[in-house]
Amino acid sequence: MIENEQYRPMPLMLSRRPRDQCHGPLAAMALLFSAFAYLVLPWPLLVAVPLLLILAALAAGKDQLDGFPQRQDKVLMMVLLLYSVCWVVVELAHGMRFKGVRDAWPIWLAMVTLIAMARLKPSAVWFWTGLALGSISAGAWAFWQRIIQGSSRADGQDPLHAILFGNLGLMTGLLCLAGLSWAMTRNERWRWTLLMTLGGLAGLTASAMSGSRGGWIGLPLAIWVLYRGHGKRLSLRWRLMVGACLLALLGSLYMIPQTGVAKRVHNAVSGVQQYVAGDDEMTSVSARLEMWKGVSQLIAERPIVGWGTRDYRAAMRQRGAEGAQDPSLGRFWHAHNDVLDAWVKRGLPGLLTLLALYLTPLWLFARGIGSASGERRALAVAGTLLPVAFIDFGLTYSFLAYPMGGMVYALLLVILWGLYRHSPQSDER
């Protein structure tokens, strides 16, 4: 062996200093992209988020591990695992081989993201910035499609369509409004407050321009969550001002004919009235009601094991052929309701794992809504609004039947939890 004080072996890994310098930017890029991409870019690109976070976690080193896993982390991981495994096992049991993997792999990527987030302490500024920019971009795009191009409904980027685009735009706008508590803690709080407010209004605009009525059902509950997080800390004058601005926006969207909001609302009311009166004309409302009736009868036949995706479609077509329902309903591959869709396809296990996926974030975040820390409170409000929004969307459409829906929900959930779990308990610096 050469005895030489000048000799140093060639390092096989990055030195500690360069690694420290690169893990922060990688995590920042991941958070920015996760909040921005799903509305304006093809959704499979979201795969870049866990990949970037894994690289950032590897660069951060073991000493960055933040007490993971704690009890809440284990519960969240278990819920995600059970939900995804249910997809795979039930489809296997119904002879669909590994079809369930198509729906499960986005959840598995989210689980990897949760582990990577535990090794990092990225700044929430990148997440909130991505949300605002994504919402503003979606709102501008929806305005262009609806007003300038004259489309009947704004539908965003393929493979999104009007329902997915509009409801995700609405959710993003609500999450931006959740970020107001965080914005008010920043040094340049008025600029951040303006940015998050614009993001919120743009999300509402995207929803209105898409004509996706299902998301509007849950707005009162979402507003109540926002009020719980922000309202009690605002003076009466600010509460009245914010309420007036919100009513003015909603009223304008309803009154302006070019938005199509008034027409969509009128069609929905008319559709319910026709269905109650026994009119056989098939509208979007009556089609859903008839579909839910048929799905409920199928659930009653197999409440425990479900039908599986293939047999469900065959059974719905058979009902149409027998005259039990309109034959046109057999062409739909999901039940236009997340709870019914999970139950009819995956049986009781599908129903229970879906309910756990909804309720677990409420358990994780709801206690932080009254936090003394504006940053922690904003993340808690956003984490509560996420399942509230998806429960709302799932009333009239099967959002989680799409791998894209599962990816967006699970990815935002674990990122919000990763930021929340190490957020400050107060705003003192």
Side-chain angles (χ1 to χ4, degrees):
M1 181 174 181
I2 301 175
E3 299 290 342
N4 187 341
E5 295 181 357
Q6 303 298 320
Y7 170 76
R8 295 288 186 276
M10 181 177 294
L12 297 179
M13 300 288 290
L14 287 173
S15 66
R16 188 70 193 135
R17 188 172 181 180
R19 286 170 59 191
D20 282 341
Q21 292 175 344
C22 73
H23 85 267
L26 286 173
M29 289 170 56
L31 293 188
L32 184 68
F33 194 74
S34 68
F36 173 83
Y38 61 86
L39 273 175
V40 296
L41 296 173
W43 77 269
L45 293 179
L46 287 173
V47 173
V49 174
L51 295 179
L52 288 171
L53 286 173
I54 290 170
L55 292 176
L58 292 174
K62 293 183 179 180
D63 58 319
Q64 295 290 324
L65 194 62
D66 186 23
F68 183 87
Q70 298 175 359
R71 182 170 68 98
Q72 295 94 330
D73 304 316
K74 293 177 182 179
V75 171
L76 180 56
M77 289 282 284
M78 183 59 65
V79 167
L80 291 172
L81 179 62
L82 289 175
Y83 178 80
S84 58
V85 168
C86 184
W87 273 106
V88 178
V89 171
V90 171
E91 294 295 354
L92 275 172
H94 287 284
M96 290 295 288
R97 296 185 178 181
F98 292 99
K99 186 267 177 189
V101 174
R102 181 187 75 97
D103 302 285
W105 72 263
I107 311 298
W108 294 337
L109 280 182
M111 295 172 65
V112 174
T113 302
L114 176 61
I115 298 172
M117 286 288 291
R119 291 182 173 271
L120 303 166
K121 292 186 178 180
S123 172
V125 64
W126 300 105
F127 178 76
W128 295 118
T129 301
L131 276 179
L133 295 179
S135 187
I136 291 171
S137 299
W141 194 354
F143 183 87
W144 176 269
Q145 287 186 319
R146 185 72 182 85
I147 305 300
I148 306 302
Q149 293 185 338
S151 301
S152 59
R153 300 175 67 181
D155 54 8
Q157 167 81 37
D158 289 334
L160 291 178
H161 51 69
I163 297 176
L164 292 173
F165 175 74
N167 285 344
L168 288 177
L170 174 60
M171 179 197 72
T172 309
L174 293 173
L175 295 183
C176 286
L177 295 178
L180 288 174
S181 291
W182 166 84
M184 295 298 290
T185 67
R186 310 300 298 172
N187 291 329
E188 298 180 347
R189 60 178 184 173
W190 295 114
R191 293 184 181 180
W192 285 108
T193 300
L194 177 61
L195 179 64
M196 302 312 296
T197 302
L198 289 176
L201 297 178
L204 294 176
T205 300
S207 174
M209 296 294 178
S210 73
S212 302
R213 300 167 299 199
W216 306 341
I217 298 173
L219 269 180
L221 181 57
I223 292 173
W224 179 76
V225 174
L226 289 169
Y227 179 79
R228 287 289 306 276
H230 306 320
K232 295 182 179 180
R233 292 166 176 81
L234 296 176
S235 65
L236 178 60
R237 184 177 67 175
W238 272 100
R239 295 183 201 180
L240 294 175
M241 187 180 302
V242 171
C245 290
L246 184 60
L247 288 175
L249 173 66
L250 296 177
S252 299
L253 292 173
Y254 184 86
M255 296 299 295
I256 298 174
Q258 287 80 0
T259 65
V261 172
K263 181 179 179 181
R264 296 287 294 169
V265 171
H266 178 267
N267 289 343
V269 174
S270 176
V272 172
Q273 292 173 341
Q274 290 177 6
Y275 184 80
V276 172
D279 194 327
D280 292 333
E281 181 183 358
M282 190 61 62
T283 66
S284 63
V285 174
S286 61
R288 280 175 168 83
L289 294 174
E290 279 294 299
M291 194 184 309
W292 298 340
K293 179 180 177 181
V295 169
S296 299
Q297 292 175 356
L298 292 179
I299 290 173
E301 294 180 29
R302 298 183 183 178
I304 306 300
V305 298
W307 290 77
T309 302
R310 180 183 59 190
D311 290 347
Y312 161 72
R313 297 192 68 183
M316 289 294 282
R317 287 193 292 266
Q318 181 65 28
R319 284 178 55 83
E322 295 173 351
Q325 65 185 28
D326 192 297
S328 65
L329 299 181
R331 65 188 176 89
F332 295 106
W333 59 274
H334 61 74
H336 283 64
N337 179 285
D338 268 321
V339 170
L340 293 178
D341 194 72
W343 198 353
V344 74
K345 291 178 181 176
R346 304 192 298 281
L348 187 60
L351 172 64
L352 294 178
T353 54
L354 174 64
L355 294 178
L357 193 67
Y358 283 152
L359 297 178
T360 300
L362 298 178
W363 170 68
L364 292 174
F365 292 106
R367 291 172 295 179
I369 291 179
S371 173
S373 165
E375 178 177 340
R376 190 173 182 84
R377 190 165 63 250
L379 292 168
V381 173
T384 304
L385 281 173
L386 179 65
V388 167
F390 267 78
I391 291 171
D392 170 28
F393 304 155
L395 293 176
T396 56
Y397 203 73
S398 301
F399 253 61
L400 294 177
Y402 292 83
M404 184 263 189
M407 181 72 151
V408 171
Y409 181 82
L411 196 60
L412 289 179
L413 171 57
V414 298
I415 287 176
L416 283 167
W417 176 245
L419 293 171
Y420 176 82
R421 68 192 301 275
H422 60 70
S423 58
Q425 297 289 337
S426 69
D427 292 326
E428 295 180 3
R429 299 185 180 181

